[in-house]
Amino acid sequence: MEWFNSHLLTGLTFLPLVWAAVGTLLPEKTVKHWAFAGSIVVFLLSLKLYTGYDPQGAEFQFLESAEWIPGLGVNYSLGMDGISMWLILLTTFLSPLVILSSYQGVEDREKSYYTLLLALQTGMTGAFVAMDTFLFYVFWEAMLIPMYFLIGIWGGKERIYAAMKFFIFTMVGSLLMLVAIFFLAYQHKLQFGNFSTALLDLYKVKLDGAGYFSTQGLLFLAFALAFAIKVPLFPLHTWLPDAHVQAPTAGSVILAGVLLKMGGYGFIRFAFPLFPQAVATYQHTFLILGSIAIVYGAWVAMVQPDMKKLVAYSSVSHMGYVVIGLFALNSIGATGSVYQMLNHGISTPALFLMVGMLYERRHTKEIKEYGGITKVMPLFAVAFMIATLSSVALPGTNGFVGEFLILLGAFKANPGLAVLATTGVIFGAVYMLWMFQRVMFGPLTNPENKKLKDLSLREACVLTPLLVAMIVMGVVPNFFFEKMETSVAKLLERTGKVEMVAQTAIRKDGK
Amino acid sequence: MMLKWIPLLPLIGFTINGFWYALIQCRPGAKKAGAGIPGLIATTMIFLSFLISLRVFFYLKGQPEDARLVEEHLFSWMKVGDFNLEMALRIDSLSTLFTLVITGVGTLIHLYSIGYMGHDATPGKFFAYLNLFCFAMLMLVMGSSLPILFLGWEGVGLCSYLLIGYWYQDTEKASAGKKAFIANRVGDFGFILGMFLIYTHFGTLEFGKITELLGKSEFTTLLNPTAVTATCLLLFLGCTGKSAQIPLYVWLPDAMAGPTPVSALIHAATMVTSGIYMLARLNLLFSLSHTAMTVIAVIGALTALLAATIAIAQNDIKKVLAYSTVSQLGYMFLACGVGAYGAGVFHVITHAFFKALMFLGAGSVIHGMHEEQDIMKMGGLKSKMPVTFVTFLVGWIAISGIPPFAGFFSKDEILWNTFAGPHASKFLWAIGLFTAMLTAFYMTRMFYLTFMGTPRFNEAAMGANGHGHHDDHGHDHGHSDDHGHGHGPKGVHESPALMTIPLVVLAVLSIVGGFIGIPHHSWLEHWLEPVIPGHAEGAFSVGETGELVLMIVSVLAAAGAIAYAWKTYTNLKSAEARKKKHAKLHEALENKWYVDEAYEATFIQPIYELSVKLWKGFDVGVIDRIVLGFGRVSQWTGQAARTLQTGSIQVYAIMLLFGLVMTLAYLIKGFM
């Protein structure tokens, strides 16, 4: 058991890849079942993380480490805290659903498709568990390759353009991060005598942090650029709508469900604790950008004629909440942000899956091609409604818990911007309900829509876990908070924000 | 106590009917089911909930005054550091009244719906929504903290949205639902910020603790007055959304697109009074800000007046009632604004009786008239629908403010407080009185045109008409009409007993309901004292004689308006001629003062256009150009496309990997 625990993270990371390698020996038509089985096995294994993780224990658990490039102080070291645990579980939870959802839509080169999906899972899990900055970078880049091919091969008409755009944006962003990692390793050598890229070592490195363009400030920007592109934060978001629209359904689901979370996770694990002073310096810059993203994403989502593009822009808006919650630099906001990452990883995939289901039936994502679909697909309408409500953050669904905490946290940090961000609750309802109305309500006039079939059993199986999760996460968020509370506290401690006792009254003198 | 069962039972009903709908009714070729079983399930649940509410009420009644409070802790909802939000329920002398109205009137309306929705294609869905609404509404009034109130607040908004757009195949109805939701969200924006301010200043969101702090003068004197005013106004913005006040009232008239029982339950008796509930709940806070109170009183009075003027020119029976509801809600806010929260709550209760009665009566008329809603095409229904006629008559007198019917007492209490209370304003009183006259006028107009005079319709054609556009949709779900067609006798007919019994019960309540608040012997005011402190002796500027004079004035005003309207509409021709004389004014009224159009032009259209510009101008025009210019994507794309199209992905992948390894090797070597 001891051995099992101390290699669990490696197992979870590489099992999908190994599984995929074995899968290449199987006949083309059976690979999907093989992949599905693999993703289930990985999911079940990952549950062990939940039972094994002790929030009162060490900061990072399930640690393992081996030398990799000794000359540079690069180690293969893995570990996990309460925040990454939920993100890993999100990844392993989505994976079987994504594979199952592809059963019908993907008929071309199945073997490569499922191999890439599983390889992608290895990249994502690896990025979440890497405790070494260089290792993180390798996984971070490794994720790009399968996603690039998923979009480039199984995507829509403009897939090459979208894949290249995705690649350029993310590559450009992360190159500076690589430089910054080596600079940090070098600083470690200057201060402690040896090269190290180990995260916990780098946390100890002292850097000048006064001002916007101090050492910390510049290094922070190098990391933040990579993460902000991934989030994606306004104004670096324009790769996302194209990538989503062109990607196959599974690509969109993983992109929205997990890849975007890498950005938020990067801030939490790297940018915040490594450069606490710079974070304080840039706090309001990011609060402003995040608030703009919320409103901007919502407004632009509103005018999209394509369902997928609409959902993509809604991601810009929803991930804007994540940014302002984190940069509120208090536990309410940060907890809300981590939660919002999980929420967004549940509700947006559900929306993409459902758009995909419509697409498989009608081969169009244009909103105007639909209307009155409730009549022919009543069960689908129920599912779509629940996902819509989660997206508009109705209390009782997961979305509300995240947005409420984030806005409350942001309000403590900067009331003025929180007011701007809160307008998002209005516009969020506008674009979602308007889309819902145009697709699902109204008369069923388009003759091509009259024969559409309602959800199949397989489709219902794909959606049900997500819909259940939306409600459960809305009603008992504490179940999730319990495991991540200490990690969030530790994050704020490292960022130099130990929270003061809540102020009970604002006095007349304004203090 | 078993508080949790009060909201939980309707939630169970929702779950049963919801699953029945989703798993059985949604299947292709499922047999069409009647409203009987789902209706019975839903009605039973809400009725049981009513019984428990009654029990809780009598339990409270048996307690000494200062101990009339029951709390029930369910579980911890959100706990983040020292921010701990309990999922807890709480019933005190204020909320118990609301639970009784919600479950009591709710039961009657559920019962009525079994008849009204008898031929609907998806009764499971309808009753599931209705139960879900009751659950959310009960959470709203029973929640022990602002976020739980907000949970109910948005929950009722959702149900309202779903039920307004229940006949979703009609684009107009679906749009009305969306409009309601979004207008409410504008209000909720204020509500959320108000909550945040409360949390910043009080360090808690729980009503118990907030009230306790507000009771301590050493705490309240230290509060920043500007912040208090801001908090109150933001929360009030939430009320203007939910309770349809200026500037957000525009959704409520459109909400009449929903089935009529929904209009009665949600858009008259319960949901729209949530704003009053919140003000009453936090009355100690609102009373701290004179500015906020003035704003509330003025908005209330203006809304009452504005809506009443529009109601005069509407011909759709439900639209008249809708504007009347907006107007009556205005009265309730006027009451709160002048510090008479008790009078506001009183009017909530009596209004729930007589307005639900009138809506259900209107539903009965519409049902009997085969979907006709235009009062100009009615007339003379008195003899054809005797039960509906008599009960509607009661509602009409009650809302017009004729003693001893319920509406008289509550409205008079409000006017009296406006005239002579501690925050009195003679000007607002004059508006209130004038509005009372308008109310009596338009209600008489509607009543006369519907039930009196001679029929203005062709009875022989009635009912036959209904069969016409019926084949189109078959028996599938989603009729775009008020209920299924092709049923019942031809011609105009009285509604079945399932529908008339609730009418009779509500009529009785509309007659006797006012006696809980007789001036100087008001049981209600006394009952509410633990939550809403009564006025000190001598707080009123006018003595008892003056009070009597005012009462007589308002009764005479109402009676005069009734007589005038009666006379006017007895002679329809001269009424028409008068309309022509004031054609411009009439047109403005008929078009609701063009408020919708103004909103469209000032908010909706500009934001829409700006958004398109941002998307095409900024995203595509600026950012993409910068980034893609860097990458010279056009060249890359060409090459990449060729590589991909030749099918040699593996080659490409290996090359990428190779590149990565080489880079690594170089870096390592360089450092070593």
Side-chain angles (χ1 to χ4, degrees), chain A residues 1 8 12 19 23 33 42 62 69 74 86 143 156 161 201 262 288 296 369 378 403 426 453 469:
Chain A
M1 204 61 199
L8 183 56
L12 283 173
W19 198 279
H33 303 299
V42 175
F62 294 97
I69 314 171
V74 175
W86 285 118
M143 287 182 308
Y161 169 77
D201 285 345
M262 287 300 166
I288 292 169
Y296 187 94
E369 289 289 317
E403 282 188 19
I426 305 171
K453 290 236 170 356

Side-chain angles (χ1 to χ4, degrees), chain B residues 480-502:
Chain B
S480 53
D481 308 282
D482 227 25
H483 56 98
H485 291 298
H487 63 87
K490 279 191 186 178
V492 179
H493 59 87
E494 181 59 285
S495 299
L498 261 178
M499 289 165 66
T500 50
I501 291 169

Side-chain angles (χ1 to χ4, degrees), chain A residues 109 134 149 161 164-165 235 237-238 296 299 313 375 392 395 425 434 437 441-443 474 477-478 504, chain B residues 76-77 79-80 154 168-169 171 175 178 181 185 201 221 610 614-615 618-619 623-624 628 636-637 649 664:
Chain A
R109 301 197 236 179
F134 187 76
F149 286 113
Y161 169 77
M164 284 314 296
K165 199 171 170 185
H237 61 277
T238 62
Y296 187 94
W299 282 16
Y313 273 107
K375 189 168 162 63
V392 304
V425 304
W434 196 31
Q437 179 185 342
F441 290 162
N478 278 344
T504 45
Chain B
S76 167
W77 189 15
K79 191 178 172 313
V80 181
E154 286 244 309
Y168 60 86
Q169 289 197 292
T171 308
S175 293
K178 186 189 67 192
F181 198 99
R185 268 291 166 108
H201 290 208
T221 49
L610 177 63
L614 287 175
W615 169 37
F618 189 67
D619 271 24
I623 302 172
D624 279 3
L628 297 182
W636 289 28
T637 335
I649 333 142
L664 282 180

Side-chain angles (χ1 to χ4, degrees), chain B residues 239-468:
Chain B
C239 298
T240 61
K242 190 96 340 185
S243 297
Q245 297 296 293
I246 294 171
L248 296 175
Y249 70 94
V250 289
W251 65 270
L252 185 59
D254 288 26
M256 296 301 123
T260 307
V262 171
S263 310
L265 178 63
I266 303 184
H267 304 122
T270 57
M271 181 185 87
V272 289
T273 63
S274 308
I276 316 295
Y277 172 77
M278 180 160 72
L279 291 191
R281 171 59 65 216
L282 294 173
N283 68 84
L284 295 175
L285 177 69
F286 282 90
S287 296
L288 288 179
S289 169
H290 188 70
T291 317
M293 294 287 278
T294 311
V295 170
I296 293 169
V298 170
I299 294 270
L302 289 182
T303 308
L305 178 65
L306 178 88
T309 58
I310 298 174
I312 290 177
Q314 300 301 312
N315 287 335
D316 182 326
I317 187 168
K318 287 184 74 181
K319 282 272 159 76
V320 178
L321 289 171
Y323 280 104
S324 153
T325 305
V326 175
S327 177
Q328 297 298 310
L329 289 165
Y331 271 112
M332 299 173 203
F333 280 102
L334 173 61
C336 296
V338 297
Y341 302 94
V345 173
F346 186 21
H347 204 53
V348 166
I349 296 170
T350 58
H351 179 257
F353 297 152
F354 63 70
K355 192 51 72 63
L357 165 65
M358 294 181 93
F359 263 116
L360 295 185
S364 177
V365 168
I366 295 165
H367 191 84
M369 292 284 291
H370 301 269
E371 315 315 321
E372 184 57 75
Q373 302 199 10
D374 187 345
I375 50 176
M376 300 312 281
K377 294 179 184 154
M378 295 180 184
L381 293 181
K382 185 174 79 169
S383 53
K384 301 197 188 301
M385 307 180 75
V387 183
T388 308
F389 165 69
V390 173
T391 52
F392 206 90
L393 176 98
V394 171
W396 162 55
I397 299 179
I399 195 176
S400 299
I402 300 296
F405 288 57
F408 163 75
F409 290 103
S410 52
K411 195 184 284 181
D412 200 64
E413 183 80 14
I414 294 173
L415 288 176
W416 161 241
N417 274 285
T418 311
F419 188 86
H423 300 272
S425 157
K426 304 278 185 297
F427 177 65
L428 293 180
W429 172 79
I431 294 184
L433 184 70
F434 181 61
T435 305
M437 289 168 68
L438 290 179
T439 309
F441 181 87
Y442 68 71
M443 276 298 168
T444 309
R445 168 180 178 265
M446 180 183 77
F447 179 77
Y448 191 91
L449 290 177
T450 308
F451 290 101
M452 309 305 288
T454 47
R456 292 180 296 280
F457 52 87
N458 178 0
E459 191 171 357
M462 285 274 167
N465 199 7
H467 290 284

Side-chain angles (χ1 to χ4, degrees), chain B residues 2-139:
Chain B
M2 36 198 184
L3 291 194
K4 64 170 172 289
W5 290 104
I6 297 177
L8 216 51
L9 283 165
L11 186 66
I12 293 170
F14 159 74
T15 316
I16 297 172
N17 274 326
F19 274 104
W20 181 67
Y21 167 74
L23 299 182
I24 295 166
Q25 284 246 284
C26 277
R27 290 167 79 172
K31 252 171 68 185
K32 197 177 164 239
I37 295 169
L40 205 63
I41 294 171
T43 312
T44 311
M45 291 302 170
I46 189 69
F47 181 64
L48 290 175
S49 182
F50 173 64
L51 293 181
I52 301 173
S53 302
L54 265 182
R55 225 201 108 184
V56 173
F57 172 75
F58 283 110
Y59 169 80
L60 287 181
K61 207 160 178 287
Q63 298 294 309
E65 232 167 84
D66 50 355
R68 283 179 185 154
L69 173 71
V70 196
E71 282 192 278
E72 198 169 291
H73 168 89
L74 300 180
F75 57 90
S76 167
W77 189 15
M78 292 179 215
K79 191 178 172 313
V80 181
D82 56 0
F83 176 79
N84 188 7
L85 202 57
E86 297 286 327
M87 187 62 89
L89 302 176
R90 165 194 171 97
I91 288 197
D92 60 8
S93 55
L94 174 66
S95 38
T96 188
L97 296 176
F98 276 85
T99 55
L100 286 175
V101 170
I102 295 161
T103 55
V105 176
T107 304
L108 293 172
I109 293 174
H110 274 69
L111 203 62
Y112 177 96
S113 302
I114 302 177
Y116 194 84
M117 301 300 282
H119 299 266
D120 188 70
T122 52
K125 184 159 115 179
F126 180 81
F127 283 103
Y129 287 170
L130 221 50
N131 263 191
L132 182 66
F133 168 78
C134 292
F135 161 73
M137 192 67 212
L138 288 163
M139 289 304 285

Side-chain angles (χ1 to χ4, degrees), chain B residues 551-572:
Chain B
M551 207 181 272
I552 293 169
V553 167
S554 68
V555 172
L556 286 179
I562 290 176
Y564 179 65
W566 194 277
K567 195 171 144 267
T568 306
Y569 291 97
T570 318
N571 188 347
L572 256 185

